[in-house]
Amino acid sequence: MFGRLMPTEGKFFDLFNQHAALCVKGAQEMVGLMTNFDDLENRAHAVESLEKQADKVTYATIDLLHKTFITRMDDILDMMEDAAQTISLYDLHSVTPEAKRLAELCLACCLKVQQAVSMLHDMDNAQKMVAICEEIDRLESDADHVMRAAMSKLFRDEPDVRNLIKMKAIYEILETVTDRCEDVANIIEGIIVENA
């Protein structure tokens, strides 16, 4: 699935590799920092420098990613279809409050995506679109928190292993909807940067 979303251009994968290498360097610096606090200032500066380098790679990547914009938007609905079919196939007749909350967060994200997309025709809306994209990021973070809490509760309290497996799948699919909305928000931000 990953391959069909990506442009065939080799530079795209080079950028991914650059970003991954920067993540590794940042993690190495963090391990060094946690091991030896004598060099705290230099380590913190090194991580900050790596993050700035990664930001540049991210902007270049987003520039390429905007070309896959409609595919990413389609992924949002694909994931919702997966959730609906999974609920049907698993023969669920009710879901947890956490699953309902995740569905509400999906709706909130989709409404924000719609709002941002409706402004794309006019780059004078750039600041408003960035604010909407930041809100999508916040909603996606909320969904992460809801899913982690839901999983914790599920594994702690659900005695029926079959129900546990079913609800775990639903939580993961619904949270992925918010991830795809965040992907679209990132692409929109890339389009804004490119057209600024």
Side-chain angles (χ1 to χ4, degrees):
M1 181 174 144
F2 184 71
R4 77 176 172 84
L5 299 177
M6 299 298 112
T8 54
E9 194 172 334
K11 184 166 173 61
F12 195 84
F13 298 101
D14 292 342
L15 291 167
F16 273 178
N17 287 324
Q18 285 176 33
H19 203 288
L22 290 167
C23 288
V24 169
K25 287 179 183 177
Q28 289 168 338
E29 291 293 335
M30 284 302 299
V31 168
L33 188 151
M34 298 299 176
T35 305
N36 180 1
F37 280 86
D38 293 342
D39 202 19
L40 176 63
E41 190 174 322
N42 285 334
R43 295 281 186 183
H45 178 72
V47 171
E48 181 182 354
S49 173
L50 290 164
E51 192 278 331
K52 284 184 168 70
Q53 291 175 52
D55 281 348
K56 290 178 183 174
V57 174
T58 298
Y59 290 129
T61 305
I62 288 172
D63 185 44
L64 291 174
L65 265 180
H66 84 272
K67 296 171 185 165
T68 64
F69 183 70
I70 196 67
T71 304
R72 290 299 175 120
M73 287 189 38
D74 188 52
D75 287 345
I76 295 168
L77 206 48
D78 287 346
M79 295 310 299
M80 285 189 273
E81 180 187 22
D82 285 352
Q85 287 183 355
T86 301
I87 290 168
S88 176
L89 291 170
Y90 286 176
D91 196 30
L92 293 174
H93 299 288
S94 65
V95 293
T96 64
E98 293 84 3
K100 288 178 185 172
R101 179 65 185 134
L102 284 169
E104 291 166 356
L105 287 166
C106 291
L107 173 59
C109 282
C110 288
L111 288 168
K112 292 295 178 185
V113 166
Q114 180 185 36
Q115 192 177 3
V117 168
S118 74
M119 295 180 184
L120 273 172
H121 69 282
D122 184 356
M123 282 300 126
D124 288 343
N125 293 320
Q127 286 184 327
K128 291 177 187 172
M129 287 187 288
V130 167
I132 292 167
C133 290
E134 289 170 356
E135 181 65 12
I136 293 168
D137 289 343
R138 187 192 65 74
L139 290 165
E140 189 278 333
S141 291
D142 289 352
D144 286 343
H145 294 301
V146 170
M147 188 182 83
R148 282 193 291 270
M151 291 289 204
S152 175
K153 181 179 176 185
L154 189 63
F155 279 91
R156 196 175 51 247
D157 298 342
E158 179 54 60
D160 185 334
V161 174
R162 288 180 302 174
N163 284 339
L164 184 145
I165 292 168
K166 292 174 183 181
M167 288 312 304
K168 178 180 180 291
I170 300 302
Y171 292 158
E172 289 172 342
I173 295 168
L174 290 172
E175 194 280 328
T176 301
V177 172
T178 67
D179 290 342
R180 295 297 80 82
C181 289
E182 184 180 40
D183 290 344
V184 170
N186 290 337
I187 294 167
I188 290 170
E189 288 176 320
I191 292 168
I192 292 166
V193 168
E194 183 179 325
N195 290 285

